């Protein structure tokens, strides 16, 4: 009996210490309110408008067909859907009653005006790096927007992910607020690029791998990850066989971020939306800075996966005929493409990644680069989901992954089941 009481007492003490630690870790780096009142100005609003573009704030905080910045867009996550908030200065449903200090706490500490913890679908682990000056400029801009009354839609997260206790534990494990600190060993341009890419640009919100609780390995993790709820794979920016841009020229990378295309690649899927709503609007100096940072990322290839399936030679033969009938007129009989118009498929690393999700998404739903000032009428690829069966779609994918000397990283052949599973992915 005494032993049992002692064990229970030890357990209770351990739980109390853990709770105190979680509480302490959820109140790190919380600055006191500013001593002088916040004052906006036309110059601050203009600067904030630019920073809002850099963060692509409108992209998430605008529902499809809705009013800009009024929120309500569903952000799918593995734990359920989160709905973005109204950023217009409406007093009842938006930011109208917020102070600059409260806005700073949301960006830097992941806390709402009422003190409640925000879900990390709002990437405050990235936004914590934003300086107070830039946060104030963003706030000034958002306060200048037209007022829109649009009530917040409740998140649809499953239990226990919808509780404050679960958020507190997650933050204690994975979140530490810290404003960006320049690296004295790097150039001012590199530091500017790191600040934009890690902070407002929140690039690794998509391009990092995540654990079972949705956390990344850190702000320098660009090892790639599946965007399960969207059906796209964000390639690793460390891996030359996936999305690394280390071997691109700086002008080529800047052109891609500005227009959505260059001689090497076109931006499709979620990245197309980022370029259309964000990076095409950035200054050449900031694009050069981002290029400097992204091209400096450490390079390492993922271990080659041994093929687990027997080659489907009949599927490839069927795919060869389907390619000739439906694809060769644009992409060329030898997969050579048309420079500046239709991408080459021979040696195209987007086709050859171990994960064929992006290839299947493009074949099924079509491929469309963003319409930008530098590429206002981009060429696109029509969807084939309504033209070809699942088996035929798998056959085409298998063929282009193995034709013309292509050697995919993983299993070369795509099965009809892979196509069916890709169809089941949710697309916002």
């Amino acid at each position: 009996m005494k032993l049992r009481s002692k064990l229970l007492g030890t357990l209770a003490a351990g739980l109390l210490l853990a709770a105190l630690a979680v509480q302490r870790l959820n109140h790190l780096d919380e600055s006191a309110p500013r001593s002088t009142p916040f004052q906006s100005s036309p110059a601050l609003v203009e600067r904030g408008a630019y920073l809002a573009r850099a963060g692509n704030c409108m992209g998430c905080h605008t529902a499809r067909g809705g009013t800009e910045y009024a929120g309500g867009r569903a952000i799918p996550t593995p734990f359920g859907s989160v709905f973005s908030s109204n950023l217009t200065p409406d007093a009842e449903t938006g930011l109208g009653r917020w102070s600059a200090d409260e806005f700073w706490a949301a960006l830097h500490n992941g806390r709402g005006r009422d003190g409640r913890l925000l879900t990390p679908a709002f990437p405050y682990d990235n936004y914590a790096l934003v300086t107070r000056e830039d946060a104030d400029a963003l706030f000034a801009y958002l306060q200048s927007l037209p007022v829109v009354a649009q009530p917040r839609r409740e998140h649809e997260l499953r239990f226990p992910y919808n509780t404050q206790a679960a958020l507190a534990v997650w933050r204690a494990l994975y979140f530490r607020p810290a404003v960006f600190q320049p690296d004295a060993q790097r150039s001012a341009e590199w530091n500017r690029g790191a600040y934009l890419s890690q902070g407002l640009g929140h690039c690794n919100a998509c391009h990092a791998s995540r654990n079972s609780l949705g956390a990344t390995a850190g702000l320098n993790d660009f090892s790639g990850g599946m965007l399960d709820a969207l059906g796209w794979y964000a390639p690793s920016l460390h891996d030359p066989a996936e999305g690394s841009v280390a071997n691109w020229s700086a002008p080529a990378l800047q052109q891609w971020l500005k227009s959505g295309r260059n001689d090497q690649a076109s931006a499709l899927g979620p990245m197309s939306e980022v370029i259309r709503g964000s990076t095409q609007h950035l200054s050449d100096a900031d694009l050069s800075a981002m290029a400097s940072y992204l091209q400096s990322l450490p390079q390492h290839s993922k271990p080659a996966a041994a093929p687990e399936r027997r080659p489907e030679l009949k599927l490839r033969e069927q795919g060869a005929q389907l390619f000739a009938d439906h694809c060769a007129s644009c992409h060329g009989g030898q997969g050579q493409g048309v420079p500046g118009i239709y991408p080459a498929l021979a040696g195209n690393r987007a086709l050859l990644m171990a994960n064929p999700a992006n290839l299947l998404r493009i074949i099924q739903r079509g491929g469309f680069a963003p319409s930008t000032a530098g590429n206002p009428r981009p060429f696109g690829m029509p969807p084939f989901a309504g033209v070809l069966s699942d088996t035929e779609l798998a056959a085409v994918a298998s063929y282009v992954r193995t034709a013309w000397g292509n050697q995919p990283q993983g299993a070369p052949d795509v099965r009809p089941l892979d196509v069916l599973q890709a169809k089941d992915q949710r697309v916002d």
Side-chain angles (χ1 to χ4, degrees), residues 13 18 35 47 60 89 104-105 162 199 210 216 256 263 275 286 294 309 333 343 359 362 369 380:
S35 57
R47 178 181 170 192
C60 284
W104 163 253
N162 60 348
R210 293 182 180 270
T216 71
W256 188 78
D263 290 341
I275 290 175
D286 276 347
L294 294 172
R309 307 171 189 168
L359 172 61
I362 294 167

Side-chain angles (χ1 to χ4, degrees), residues 39-80:
Q39 290 186 333
S40 184
S41 68
L44 199 63
V45 169
E46 182 179 1
R47 178 181 170 192
Y50 180 83
L51 294 170
R53 287 289 196 185
N56 197 24
C57 305
M58 187 171 66
C60 284
H61 288 273
T62 305
R64 296 300 173 90
T67 305
E68 294 179 358
Y69 292 101
R73 179 171 178 176
I75 311 297
T77 79
F79 315 105

Side-chain angles (χ1 to χ4, degrees), residues 203-424:
C203 302
N204 85 328
C206 287
H207 285 281
S209 56
R210 293 182 180 270
N211 64 21
S212 59
L213 293 178
T216 71
L219 296 174
N220 286 307
D221 176 19
F222 294 88
S223 56
M226 187 66 199
L227 307 176
D228 291 309
L230 298 177
W232 288 88
Y233 174 74
S236 168
L237 301 187
H238 300 294
D239 191 341
E242 290 198 4
S244 169
V245 292
N247 293 327
W248 288 13
S249 69
L253 178 52
Q254 293 171 50
Q255 180 188 5
W256 188 78
L257 291 170
K258 190 77 172 179
S259 69
R261 64 161 303 278
N262 60 20
D263 290 341
Q264 284 97 333
S266 295
L268 304 174
M271 193 63 213
S272 174
E273 183 176 337
V274 170
I275 290 175
R276 182 176 63 250
S278 177
T279 58
Q280 72 156 319
H281 302 284
L282 300 187
S283 68
D284 290 343
D286 276 347
L287 291 178
S288 178
M290 291 181 71
S292 175
Y293 170 72
L294 294 172
Q295 292 189 301
S296 75
L297 293 175
Q299 299 297 290
H300 46 79
S301 300
K302 295 181 179 179
E308 299 178 357
R309 307 171 189 168
R310 296 178 62 184
E312 298 283 350
L313 299 181
K314 290 185 177 180
L315 202 64
R316 297 183 198 177
E317 291 175 3
Q318 181 184 11
Q321 185 59 54
L322 290 167
F323 180 87
D325 293 342
H326 297 281
C327 315
S329 59
C330 292
H331 292 288
Q334 298 302 311
Q336 73 273 20
V338 178
I341 302 177
Y342 303 116
L345 303 184
N348 188 320
R349 62 184 180 178
L351 275 64
L352 304 180
M353 291 185 287
N355 188 333
N358 294 354
L359 172 61
L360 291 176
R361 181 62 64 190
I362 294 167
I363 297 175
Q364 288 176 324
R365 298 182 177 272
F368 303 93
S371 177
T372 60
N375 189 27
R377 298 182 66 184
F379 289 89
M381 172 178 158
F384 283 90
V387 178
L388 304 178
S389 68
D390 290 354
T391 299
E392 290 172 328
L393 290 169
V396 172
S398 297
Y399 173 70
V400 298
R401 279 166 67 84
T402 56
W404 319 300
N406 284 347
Q407 296 182 346
Q409 298 179 54
D413 294 306
V414 178
R415 303 170 302 174
L417 179 60
D418 298 323
V419 178
L420 182 61
Q421 290 173 334
K423 280 183 177 180
D424 289 339

Side-chain angles (χ1 to χ4, degrees), residues 88-111:
T88 76
D90 180 64
E92 299 300 326
T93 66
L95 302 182
R97 293 179 180 170
W98 285 53
S99 68
D101 289 326
E102 290 164 342
F103 184 75
W104 163 253
L107 286 183
H108 188 69
N109 302 103
R111 284 189 180 274

